[in-house]
Amino acid sequence: MASLTGRRPIAMGSATLMCLGALCAVQAAGAPRLELLGQPCRSRNVLAGRVVRDRSSGREMLVMTNMNEASRAELIFVDWEKDTARVFRAPKGAGSWALREVAGDRLAVGTFYDGQFMLFDLRSMRWAKSYGVPGESYIWNLAIGGDGRVYGGTYPGGRLASLDLATGAVTDCGAPAPPNLYLRTVSATPDGRIFCYFMTEKPTTRIYDPSTRAWAPPPATLEGASQGALWHGFFLVGDHAFAGRDLTPVTPVPFPVPPEGRGSWTVDPDLTTPDTLYLRQGSVVYRCKAGETALTRVAEVDLRGGRLLAASAGGAVLGVRGQDYFVLHPGDTRLDLRRIPGETAPRPPHFLEIDARGRVWGGPSFGQTLFCLDPKTRAVVNTSTVTDSGGEVYDVAFIGDTVYAASYAGGDIVRYEPGRPWDQLGGHNPRTIVSLGQRGYIRPTGGIVAGADGKLYSGWMAKYGVYGGAIAITNPSTGATDLIENPLAQQAITGLAVGDGLLYVGTGLGANGLPDLANQAPRFGIVDARGASVLHNEEMPGSGSVRNLTLLPATGLLAVGAGSQLRLFDTARRTFAPTPADVPPITSGSVAQTDGRTLWYGSKRALVSLDSLTRTVATTVQAPADIDRVAAGADGSVYVSCGTNVYVLRR
């Protein structure tokens, strides 16, 4: 809590004192209140990087874009020789995939979730201007056209937008590849046109000519390509080179190539510059400058999910892996991770769960980390990356002291034992026990639950470009997993509860990279966990998803969230029971139960309790801000998160 030391005393009249006295009397009598436990969720999510020269010292710096949806996007300038950093928080945007140095000693940044072109002045080290792209929430990456403008592809309109660096004018160049929602990558060709890759419904490519403002299909030889790089006047894609306005294939390629017999190789479009070419062959990185007849072997390192971001003039290659960055020098064979310097700002928890010891677990939206908060001591541990796949943990379940995390984007279920030494790089702790992405499911929108039978049950959304979902039943000891695919309909699983060998299931209309399903309703149903037979299946019209399924064993009822509407399902009669008319809508992303009969959830700022036996509803307390997540411990303690803050309910 903030100290009052040094603050001016506040003059109070007798009426004010009487009111404060009455308030103290109420609190003393046990009025419920929320007690702040802290801001435990601290995690970075670096998405792009470049090497720039510091204008004052002349030293090279690695500049990275970091995501923070609460305090806004950041630019982190790292002096890797000193292992120090300076952080510059952006005026807009939650984060950025798009970063490029542009004319005028500036950096151009394209943001999400507000679709902004932003400029950062490298001489004054200050943010300059910001220009929005109307109707768009993402700008994915950036390229410079022949007209000197900065071009970026967008989501959800699948549009090409440009920024005039001199005037700040933003131009909508069109969306020539509907119904694709993503213009995911843009690349400049040698003559200044923009090569564009659209996804995910009907992946396709188009070329935009800034001089004529016209679109055209690419040559047949470039069909299926997604991103290119400029080097020495050539347009390089994969293991091919193209020349001229017609982008004619150049055979053989105009540079030395890696040795045969060691697998395929490809151009690295993020590292390659017009002067220096970088090639990747498995875990080996090669470099070649224009005019050289042999490749320089830079390093051979398994990045384990890390990404190479940029290369320095001195020959170092720099990258990021989760909360760490690394520098590769010629001859390196080991990944030397260094924690990104500087304090990490707090972030909102993506989920909350309480373990048997009463500790609060959560993690951020993207960043692939976990935090653990001890409410008694307020001690917090934030982990490093829990899996090699990028993304985020959606939920955790507990079997004894072991934590099982379900995460996007690899569709991973991760086993973590907090009491054992951390060795994720060694594959020991935490350890991925199954990756459902290999079977077509990547986002655990239904969460993960530990059943009384010792198995793990999780609900999933299908991969990008595919509608559907599955329930995964996993043996936590072996990782062996059975899938029940599309049990109620070809829809994502968005809610899951487990009891007495039955799976209570909710579905949703959303999908990865696709519009919501049209002319359908989400569903609620019951599936026999042993035989996978469907015992109950009904539509829930009027909402986009059925979620927050929570069993109330003392009354035999199941809480069901149909969008924001709370419904009560009688599990014995298998029919929906009457719900009190005064039940407020559910606006929190999760709900919880205590004593087997009381349901807790957030309705805007109100923490609502519903006694499922008496069917009485009460607003227990008003939170300082809208309640995002609600969780409860076995001892009846109730926890909520509001933005970056986590509270416990004191009754």
Side-chain angles (χ1 to χ4, degrees), residues 289-604:
K289 292 184 178 295
E292 293 181 344
T293 58
L295 295 175
T296 298
R297 187 186 178 101
V298 177
E300 182 176 5
V301 178
D302 183 356
L303 300 181
R304 295 292 304 278
R307 292 185 297 115
L308 301 182
L309 296 176
S312 73
V317 174
L318 298 104
V320 66
R321 185 181 187 274
Q323 309 306 296
D324 306 301
Y325 78 102
F326 56 86
V327 184
L328 300 180
H329 298 285
D332 281 352
T333 58
R334 188 172 63 90
L335 196 61
D336 182 17
L337 297 177
R338 311 177 190 176
R339 184 55 62 100
I340 297 171
E343 183 181 2
T344 306
R347 297 179 60 190
H350 190 57
F351 69 94
L352 288 182
E353 296 286 359
I354 316 301
D355 69 12
R357 297 188 185 186
R359 297 176 298 185
V360 181
W361 289 81
S365 296
F366 302 106
Q368 210 60 286
T369 63
L370 295 171
F371 73 79
C372 178
L373 164 67
D374 186 329
K376 297 177 182 177
T377 65
R378 312 293 175 91
V380 179
V381 174
N382 277 275
T383 73
S384 292
T385 301
V386 299
T387 173
D388 292 349
S389 301
E392 67 211 312
V393 175
Y394 262 64
D395 196 13
V396 296
F398 310 100
I399 299 179
D401 288 335
T402 302
V403 183
Y404 291 90
S407 75
Y408 163 86
D412 296 327
I413 297 178
V414 178
R415 175 188 174 99
Y416 174 44
E417 298 177 76
R420 293 181 54 216
W422 182 275
D423 187 12
Q424 193 274 329
L425 272 180
H428 299 296
N429 187 43
R431 178 172 63 88
T432 298
I433 61 174
V434 63
S435 293
L436 296 177
Q438 300 170 4
R439 299 169 68 174
Y441 299 95
I442 64 171
R443 195 184 294 268
T445 45
I448 186 168
V449 181
D453 57 0
K455 294 181 179 180
L456 298 168
Y457 296 84
S458 51
W460 297 84
M461 178 185 284
K463 63 184 180 180
Y464 276 87
V466 177
Y467 290 105
I471 300 166
I473 305 175
T474 302
N475 183 320
S477 299
T478 66
T481 298
D482 296 321
L483 290 180
I484 305 175
E485 300 182 89
N486 299 313
L488 306 182
Q490 193 169 342
Q491 299 176 357
I493 306 301
T494 53
L496 185 63
V498 182
D500 297 327
L502 300 178
L503 308 179
Y504 299 92
V505 183
T507 68
L509 304 180
N512 283 306
L514 296 172
D516 288 359
L517 287 163
N519 303 316
Q520 292 191 34
R523 292 175 176 268
F524 166 74
I526 305 173
V527 178
D528 186 327
R530 292 172 289 269
S533 57
V534 177
L535 307 178
H536 184 90
N537 188 355
E538 66 176 290
E539 290 187 341
M540 301 288 283
S543 64
S545 65
V546 177
R547 58 194 182 95
N548 290 331
L549 305 187
T550 305
L551 281 165
L552 301 162
T555 56
L557 296 175
L558 174 79
V560 177
S564 62
Q565 182 185 13
L566 174 62
R567 304 282 302 275
L568 294 174
F569 183 79
D570 188 320
T571 59
R573 298 181 179 181
R574 294 187 182 173
T575 185
F576 279 98
T579 304
D582 58 345
V583 170
I586 302 173
T587 61
S588 58
S590 59
V591 305
Q593 66 86 20
T594 57
D595 61 35
R597 63 185 263 186
T598 305
L599 184 75
W600 299 84
Y601 64 92
S603 187
K604 297 295 186 180

Side-chain angles (χ1 to χ4, degrees), residues 18-39:
M18 289 176 63
C19 290
L20 286 176
L23 176 62
C24 292
V26 170
Q27 290 179 337
R33 61 185 177 86
L34 291 176
E35 179 182 311
L36 178 64
L37 296 177
Q39 298 175 316

